[in-house]
Amino acid sequence: MADHPVDEKLPALKMATTGLQHVAAMYAGVVAPPLIVGAAIGLTAGDLTFLTGACLFTAGLATLLQTLGIWKIGARLPFVNGVTFAGVAPMTAIVASTEDKSDALPLIFGAVIVAGLLGFIAAPVFCKAVRFFPPVVTGTVITLIGVSLLPVAFGWAQGPDPAAHDYGSATNLGLAAGTLVIVLLLRRFTRGFVKQIAVLLGLVAGTLIAIPFGATDFGPVTDAAVIGFPTPFHFGAPQFQLAAILSLCVVMVVSMTESTADMLALGEIVDRPADEKTIAAGLRADTLGSAISPLFNGFMCSAFAQNIGLVAMTRIRSRYVVAAGGGFLVLMGLCPMAASLIAVVPRPVLGGAGVVLFGSVAASGIQTLVRAGLEKDDNVLIVAVSLAVGIIPITAPEFYHAFPQTARIVLDSGISTGCVAAVLLNLVFHHLGPRDRDAHDVTHPMEAGEQITGVPRSPAAP
């Protein structure tokens, strides 16, 4: 019997090139979180390069674990793992609440280890509890992830240092806008592989354009070694703080939910439906990869949805192709010079690309919400209140100023608070109370003459 396309081993050259394509599709997504968190801490260019390389290395390990599998660990599907965007806002909140910034990464690493181990234990149970995370919840959370990250892109567009004289200058904003335009033009007028790496090409073009303006610094590349290894606990031994752990446990729940949805979608695409056993194995790989990642100075890992789109587009379903991509990520992590290339990219150029990158995350959430049944007023209320709660830290950063600092680690993360609100509201409206409760349609909730929840409109004022 012939192997299923998922288990097919392609010729070496084709496996290498298609594996590199997966790396290109996810590269910007892997390096963005360490850039955001590293900038918030104020890491030097050398440490930022080290952190970026560590995240590439651990993403490769997690991808190999997911695709090749060990025992009951790994979905054994063409499933790419990398640093999850969901953790960025909570991690920056941890950084902001830490007086001594040198303790920020150890606190993050400790929280990731605990969240990963708890997630590993909970994986067999969680795969049975997916019904509590329908599209109305996951769509809201994914939308909040994108919206929460957009201010980061806007800050990058203005420049690296708010105290600098050229912060927000026409030159910086022009570089950001130019990079954005280049990415959009590539997405609009190119096809195939070039279209898939439009963000990467936009970063390269923007960096080259920035050279005449003196905004590009090649120092990180010239100072970086060709070969290196992410020394375990380079930034210090992990520290364990309850508030930080709770915050990233919420992120772990979000990541496990996203991974479950992605496995279900990928199973349909490759014609090997993901059953409960496959989902549990995939979640074990996600969570174990996350728990191991801090050992090598990496962050929490989760599925990369853009690579699922790449599988659907190319119709290359072999998990060994993605495993080859994971191997390339490991090699890049072992080459500090390769990892340092992203440090060369001027911050305004990153800001222009970030608008597309982070906006696409929000758009993915909106696409999920389209399937969430928003013709029902219960779901509209869940989305409305959860988004409002999640946007509080963005629009009113000092809203929770009277709360203890440890509580603010959770409260200042719109993703964490929005996720908790969405889950609780979904339970209240869809799982508690009488089953035959009427769920009213609100196709046009503000339309004149309509009745909302059975209450007639008041007469119009004279």
Side-chain angles (χ1 to χ4, degrees):
M1 180 183 291
D3 288 339
H4 189 283
V6 168
D7 300 316
E8 182 183 4
K9 294 180 180 179
L10 303 179
L13 181 60
K14 187 172 184 180
M15 193 174 295
T17 54
T18 50
L20 279 172
Q21 183 169 246
H22 276 284
V23 173
M26 71 178 295
Y27 183 84
V30 173
V31 301
L35 282 174
I36 298 170
V37 176
I41 295 172
L43 294 181
T44 63
D47 279 343
L48 191 59
T49 294
F50 185 93
L51 187 63
T52 303
C55 287
L56 289 168
F57 180 77
T58 54
L61 292 181
T63 298
L64 289 171
L65 188 62
Q66 191 69 264
T67 52
L68 302 181
I70 302 172
W71 184 56
K72 296 182 179 180
I73 302 170
R76 294 171 173 83
L77 291 170
F79 201 49
V80 175
N81 274 47
V83 182
T84 175
F85 272 110
V88 172
M91 287 191 294
T92 53
I94 292 171
V95 172
S97 67
T98 306
E99 289 187 15
D100 186 351
K101 299 306 179 187
S102 63
D103 289 334
L105 283 174
L107 283 171
I108 290 170
F109 292 150
V112 172
I113 290 172
V114 174
L117 292 176
L118 291 176
F120 184 84
I121 295 169
V125 177
F126 187 88
C127 66
K128 302 177 188 293
V130 179
R131 65 193 184 95
F132 297 113
F133 297 89
V136 70
V137 173
T138 56
T140 300
V141 174
I142 295 170
T143 302
L144 280 172
I145 292 171
V147 171
S148 296
L149 292 176
L150 278 171
V152 174
F154 302 148
W156 283 351
Q158 296 178 80
D161 183 6
H165 71 279
D166 63 343
Y167 187 74
S169 66
T171 299
N172 287 347
L173 297 182
L175 288 172
T179 303
L180 174 60
V181 169
I182 291 169
V183 173
L184 293 176
L185 290 175
L186 288 170
R187 290 291 299 177
R188 174 64 181 86
F189 295 107
T190 61
R191 300 176 134 192
F193 183 55
V194 174
K195 185 174 183 178
Q196 285 296 320
I197 61 171
V199 172
L200 191 60
L201 294 176
L203 290 174
V204 172
T207 301
L208 294 175
I209 293 171
I211 292 175
F213 296 96
T216 305
D217 177 16
F218 290 97
V221 175
T222 57
D223 296 338
V226 177
I227 299 175
F229 185 80
T231 313
F233 302 131
H234 174 82
F235 296 99
Q239 300 177 24
F240 303 95
Q241 182 190 72
L242 182 60
I245 291 170
L246 290 175
S247 179
L248 289 185
C249 279
V250 171
V251 175
M252 180 57 73
V253 171
V254 175
S255 296
M256 293 171 75
T257 304
E258 288 182 45
S259 290
T260 300
D262 287 339
M263 275 185 273
L264 292 170
L266 184 60
E268 294 297 323
I269 290 170
V270 301
D271 196 26
R272 180 183 277 180
D275 55 16
E276 193 174 291
K277 180 180 176 182
T278 301
I279 292 173
L283 292 177
R284 287 191 190 99
D286 263 13
T287 52
L288 182 61
S290 294
I292 294 173
S293 185
L295 173 65
F296 300 103
N297 312 283
F299 297 142
M300 189 179 293
C301 295
S302 185
F304 266 51
Q306 58 264 49
N307 292 83
I308 295 175
L310 190 57
V311 172
M313 184 191 73
T314 62
R315 302 302 297 165
I316 297 175
R317 296 178 278 179
S318 171
R319 61 191 173 102
Y320 294 104
V321 164
V322 174
F328 283 121
L329 287 170
V330 170
L331 292 176
M332 292 172 72
L334 296 175
C335 178
M337 184 172 288
S340 69
L341 289 174
I342 195 65
V344 172
V345 181
R347 207 59 61 83
V349 172
L350 278 174
V355 171
V356 177
L357 197 61
F358 305 151
S360 295
V361 177
S364 296
I366 294 170
Q367 288 176 329
T368 303
L369 286 174
V370 169
R371 307 193 303 270
L374 294 185
E375 71 279 1
K376 302 295 183 182
D377 62 352
D378 288 354
N379 287 342
V380 170
L381 287 173
I382 292 171
V383 175
V385 175
S386 301
L387 285 178
V389 170
I391 289 174
I392 287 174
I394 303 172
T395 56
E398 298 301 316
F399 188 82
Y400 298 110
H401 73 277
F403 284 74
Q405 196 66 28
T406 51
R408 290 191 63 177
I409 292 178
V410 177
L411 295 174
D412 283 345
S413 166
I415 297 169
S416 298
T417 55
C419 177
V420 171
V423 171
L424 292 178
L425 289 171
N426 180 62
L427 284 172
V428 169
F429 282 104
H430 293 152
H431 295 276
L432 301 179
R435 288 291 186 189
D436 58 349
R437 188 178 64 82
D438 187 22
H440 300 278
D441 292 348
V442 287
T443 306
H444 303 288
M446 299 302 292
E447 186 174 344
E450 291 272 331
Q451 293 184 0
I452 300 179
T453 63
V455 180
R457 282 182 174 273
S458 299

